[in-house]
Amino acid sequence: MFGRRTGGAAPAVTPVLEAAAKQPTPPPHDLPPSDIAEFESLWQPPAQSPRKSVEQLLLECGHITAEQLEQAKSVQAQTPGKPIVQILLTMNAASEAQILAAQAQTLGLPFESLDKSKIDPEAFKLLAADYIRKHLVIPIRREDSVLVLGMVDPTDVFLLDEVRRRTKHQVRIVVTTAADIHRAVEQLTNTNIDLKVEEIIKDMAEDDVQVVHDTQDDVTDLAKIGSESPVIRFVNYLIFDAIKQGASDIHIEPKEKELKVRYRIDGILFEAMNPPHSMHPAIVSRLKIMANLDISERRMPQDGRIRAMVHSRKVDLRLSTLPTACGEKCVLRILDNRTISVALEDLGFSEEVLTIWKRQIEQPHGILLVTGPTGSGKTTTLYASLRVMDGNKLNISTVEDPIEYHLAAANQVQVHEKIGMTFSAALRSMLRQDPDVVMLGEIRDSETARIAVQAALTGHLVLSTLHTNDAPASITRLINIGVEPYLISAAVNAILAQRLVRKICPHCKEPYIPSAEMREFLTLQGFNSQATFKGKGCDRCRRSGYAGRLGIYELLVMDDSLRDQVTRNPDVTQLRKLCRERGLVTLREDGFAKVMHGLTTVDEVLRVTENAL
């Protein structure tokens, strides 16, 4: 990212380097000798303070600590030739944006964050999208006759000279991140996909799929559309369109006389299209070929994985087939790293709950549980919590089934129950590996629960999930699994219950006065019934009034009094009442607080907290 090309003829000096090379003007030599002497006595070159390095600027801004800088220098001494900023980036000591902003400052260049709104589409067309992705350079806008150019590596004068030749413009450089460039290219090229589903369907027949083994690489490049047969183009379009719309799942459902394709967006299924029923065998066969499954087996369920490349971004797809009365139903789960790479601060925590939760994940030992039904964002919360931890100082290990996303700072273990690699077996072996932090995908049985408790009591921080409706119910669930109450009392530090609610679409948000019954309900809950909003419905939110999701949370922290109560094996009703008396903010109360801030609606909060008290 920060390297400089070598070799080849030197290009013309860029305006940036010209400005940096300017020196103070010496006294003119056409003056009389006496005037020259007087001029020289008065003229002194201005004192130039030494330019600060990138790591010095990062240290001054508080993006890195002195300890991290010393550690990076120590690593650099062992790996000669590797820039220290690359080491800091690998250590997660500073983000790419922070490092590039500091580098821009050392070069006297501006740093800009990019999105679609800041880029002139006409200027963008001066370079091909593939060229922009490959070289990480993007035309942003024209200012008079000068082209403003975003670059990740502004010191690459050879690339700069090549861009000037291609665009036939003089350029002015701003520094930006690779992530911003990729996102901007994706946003600007999505609308340029010329793909008509009707034309694909019209040309499609079952003979387009042949029962052969796919010998190509397991990474399917979905960007190369148009040259393949109709069934391949249709499946590629289906996956591409679902990712473009932000879907988490694709459901392909055969009915008696029709074929239904639905996307799950923000937790809700939307019907996307109805291809002809005759297409079903061809679509299923193509998906099985992509996932290396047995296309001749139609009576048994199958599971497989597809790796796709969409605009130079890797996306994993999990395929599940299930025989039904009308044919095989297929569900594709889309595992996009962008959806899981959410900062802890962006998940929807209130300021108070976020502060307490951060304090809990800094504890040296104990159990932290995240509870909620499937699809409530538990994995995202756990991953965001692990990313906050210092992976360079801690041995972080996870046991998952399956490993859905990869964490650079963690050692991730996949469960294989058929060969005896269960949660309990993996956890037992992992504890011999000197871990500091252990993440369990789920506590499912008494053996796993007991090992997790013992790990917490012997000095390890254990993070895991449970499927319960609220935080107090997790205590009784562990007791029912078979863990002794006194062990739970000693081991559990905190329990976080959560749900995901849809956010009001910002493009069609408007004030809303609820019904008289609802106003009375909100007033009884202690909230202002007039301060509510809703989404009217627009093209950007598929007329639903919602766009995106955020979490609502219920955080139960174990204190001495509560630990004493747990050892007495209380029932869930007593425990819930005790927690409420001690100030527990419930899921519904946190949801209503977000309603009052105009983030979501009352109906949405009631929908997701129907079974939570």
Side-chain angles (χ1 to χ4, degrees), residues 132-152:
I132 294 172
R133 293 191 193 100
K134 180 179 179 181
H135 296 284
L136 298 178
V137 55
I138 183 169
I140 300 175
R141 59 185 175 272
R142 291 189 182 94
E143 293 180 354
D144 297 328
S145 60
V146 177
L147 178 65
V148 178
L149 199 67
M151 295 182 71
V152 172

Side-chain angles (χ1 to χ4, degrees), residues 189-208:
T189 54
N190 275 351
T191 56
N192 297 329
I193 298 295
D194 185 16
L195 227 169
K196 298 186 183 299
V197 182
E198 294 80 4
E199 294 180 4
I200 297 174
I201 294 175
K202 183 176 64 177
D203 296 336
M204 187 170 174
E206 291 186 19
D207 294 338
D208 289 320

Side-chain angles (χ1 to χ4, degrees), residues 333-455:
R333 185 174 186 193
I334 301 169
L335 304 177
D336 186 353
N337 277 317
R338 291 192 317 174
T339 62
I340 202 77
S341 300
V342 183
L344 205 56
E345 293 78 8
D346 299 331
L347 292 177
F349 285 103
S350 65
E351 187 174 345
E352 181 182 2
V353 172
L354 178 62
T355 302
I356 298 173
W357 182 250
K358 281 186 173 181
R359 194 179 304 135
Q360 290 298 321
I361 62 179
E362 291 172 356
Q363 297 297 314
H365 54 79
I367 293 180
L368 300 178
L369 293 175
V370 181
T371 76
T374 301
S376 59
K378 299 187 297 295
T379 302
T380 303
T381 300
L382 288 178
Y383 276 30
S385 301
L386 291 179
R387 276 195 296 271
V388 172
M389 300 177 184
D390 189 349
N392 295 296
K393 291 183 178 179
L394 300 173
N395 178 10
I396 303 173
S397 300
T398 73
V399 185
E400 302 171 67
D401 182 25
I403 297 174
E404 297 185 353
Y405 304 95
H406 293 279
L407 290 171
N411 306 292
Q412 295 174 274
V413 177
Q414 170 77 51
V415 170
H416 294 284
E417 293 194 1
K418 290 183 179 179
I419 61 172
M421 186 63 163
T422 60
F423 272 105
S424 56
L427 180 56
R428 192 179 295 109
S429 298
M430 186 178 291
L431 293 176
R432 304 189 191 105
Q433 296 272 315
D434 185 34
D436 297 297
V437 180
V438 175
M439 188 195 92
L440 281 173
E442 183 183 350
I443 294 179
R444 297 179 177 176
D445 52 58
S446 60
E447 186 179 6
T448 304
R450 279 194 288 267
I451 297 172
V453 168
Q454 291 300 329

Side-chain angles (χ1 to χ4, degrees), residues 13-14 18 63 103 121 141 164 178 216 292 322 373 409 492 541 547:
V13 180
T14 68
E18 283 177 351
H63 298 318
Q103 187 190 35
R141 59 185 175 272
R164 279 208 304 271
Q216 296 180 350
N292 293 319
L322 180 68
V492 176
C541 62

